[in-house]
Amino acid sequence: MEALTIPPVDLALIAPLLVVVTWATGLLLVDTFFIPVGRKKLTGYLAIAGLVVAGLVGLPLWGVSGSTFGGMVRLDPFALTLTWVFLLIGILSITMSLDYLPCQDIEQGEYYPLIMFAVSGMILLAQGADLIVLFLGIETLSITLYILTGFAYPRLTSEEAAMKYLVLGAFAAGFFVYGIALIFGATGSTRLSEIGAYAAGRDLGDTNLTLLLGGAAMVLIAFSFKAALAPFHMWIPDVYQGSPTPVAAFMSVGTKGGALAALVRLLFEALPTLNEYWLPVLAGLTALTMVVGNLGAIAQMDVKRMLAYSSIGHAGYVMLGVMVAGEQRGPEAFIFYILVYALSNLGAFAVLIALEHQGEEAWQLDDFAGLYQRQPLLAVAMAIFMFSLAGVPPTAGFMAKFYALTAAWEGGLPWLALVGVLTSAIAAFFYLRVIIRMFMTEPEGEPAPELNRGLTIDIVVAAAGTIIIGLIPAPIFALVERSAVALGG
């Protein structure tokens, strides 16, 4: 019997991931035994500290490229840059939750470690170089989100949202597993590089080619579900509306970032020679996603549902960079768009939280009426986020859309870039509608919304980032360019 060989493990290459997982596990125990009820904010502060430490641990790894666990996990600047973006998403999401949870009477300490575990799943997706690792990453992210979606129990909308997400997520997981089985049957490996080498270096034959394409199609369906690409987006509006608002905010950027980061690796490490098959399919899905998301948002009078449909449209713009990630500008556009979208969308959700009252929601468009007269700074911040999501200069959203559309145009997809321009014009309608309601109508209902310290920090950081990156994009461009060089290499 052949002895089991354990591959060498270099823990330094997964240091940020290791810190997040270890910290979250320890925090669960600390919260259970040492932090009393009513002081769970302390758990949140410790979770933020853990994410900051994970980001600092990654600093010495900049420029390092290598793999561990037998090539199943890889670290390069592409993965490291995305890791920092994911950690920032986790920090902002926890910050906006600190006062939201006790206000909604759903404060439990487990919430914060769950956010950390979700971030660890996103990091694993960025570093995964094997289908099994990608599956572990996507399930780590998904399982934590199933729980977080239902965190407002016993609120019925929250329970319903969690159940819908769980059932549909289970279908997506099934597609992923069957896809892995078919790909393994065709190539004899689950390692992305080995699948790519097999597909490029041999005559697959009709049977193996059919198996490989069938498996790839199933895995793509699973990723499309997680990233909310049309027509796999149907769960988004109901799940976002039923979830606690900080969870919806986290999902809107976290699932897209993690799933599409893994999709980039899959397409350009395992399936680059089969792009004649997957490129037309993904291009069609991307065009459909941009159209469906933006047209769906027009009809919404509930701003939370509007942001849900808007997130579908933005998944299409992110895909513009994903499909041309084999070119220099592709991964640059992808990372830049994820960062900018995270700042703008988390900021918009933070404003939404500020408008919520204890135990009830205030998400209707009319609730924004006269916001400028009630809370001028909040209205100005919301206007910045709306302009950025619409892609209006000089906000960061304009630079992100310009970068993504340019990447698609130069990558040989000019028709898709034109679809992006047209749908961006449609999107401007529903974003401007919110701004008009805030600045040009008389106040209705409640007086000035309350702003706590966590929300204030979130909104200030997001608004400042949106403006500064829009006005001075060069440092971020330089960072993502260096990340993209490593991916291409």
PDB file of all heavy atoms in Angstrom, residues 174 241 267 455:
ATOM      1  N   GLY A 174     -25.235  22.064  -5.447  1.00  0.00           N
ATOM      2  CA  GLY A 174     -25.352  20.806  -6.187  1.00  0.00           C
ATOM      3  C   GLY A 174     -24.759  20.921  -7.584  1.00  0.00           C
ATOM      4  O   GLY A 174     -24.038  20.020  -8.047  1.00  0.00           O
ATOM      5  N   GLN A 241     -34.280  42.284   0.918  1.00  0.00           N
ATOM      6  CA  GLN A 241     -35.303  42.998   1.663  1.00  0.00           C
ATOM      7  C   GLN A 241     -35.564  42.366   3.026  1.00  0.00           C
ATOM      8  O   GLN A 241     -35.815  43.063   4.004  1.00  0.00           O
ATOM      9  CB  GLN A 241     -36.602  43.048   0.861  1.00  0.00           C
ATOM     10  CG  GLN A 241     -37.630  43.999   1.465  1.00  0.00           C
ATOM     11  CD  GLN A 241     -38.817  44.213   0.562  1.00  0.00           C
ATOM     12  OE1 GLN A 241     -39.198  43.315  -0.189  1.00  0.00           O
ATOM     13  NE2 GLN A 241     -39.406  45.382   0.620  1.00  0.00           N
ATOM     14  N   LEU A 267     -11.573  30.711 -15.185  1.00  0.00           N
ATOM     15  CA  LEU A 267     -11.609  30.943 -16.627  1.00  0.00           C
ATOM     16  C   LEU A 267     -10.223  31.041 -17.231  1.00  0.00           C
ATOM     17  O   LEU A 267      -9.986  30.520 -18.332  1.00  0.00           O
ATOM     18  CB  LEU A 267     -12.385  32.237 -16.929  1.00  0.00           C
ATOM     19  CG  LEU A 267     -13.873  32.243 -16.577  1.00  0.00           C
ATOM     20  CD1 LEU A 267     -14.487  33.590 -16.904  1.00  0.00           C
ATOM     21  CD2 LEU A 267     -14.605  31.140 -17.337  1.00  0.00           C
ATOM     22  N   LEU A 455     -22.310  54.531  12.303  1.00  0.00           N
ATOM     23  CA  LEU A 455     -22.813  54.930  10.989  1.00  0.00           C
ATOM     24  C   LEU A 455     -22.066  56.154  10.469  1.00  0.00           C
ATOM     25  O   LEU A 455     -21.757  56.245   9.271  1.00  0.00           O
ATOM     26  CB  LEU A 455     -24.307  55.239  11.077  1.00  0.00           C
ATOM     27  CG  LEU A 455     -25.273  54.058  11.053  1.00  0.00           C
ATOM     28  CD1 LEU A 455     -26.704  54.559  11.132  1.00  0.00           C
ATOM     29  CD2 LEU A 455     -25.074  53.218   9.797  1.00  0.00           C
TER      30      LEU A 455
END
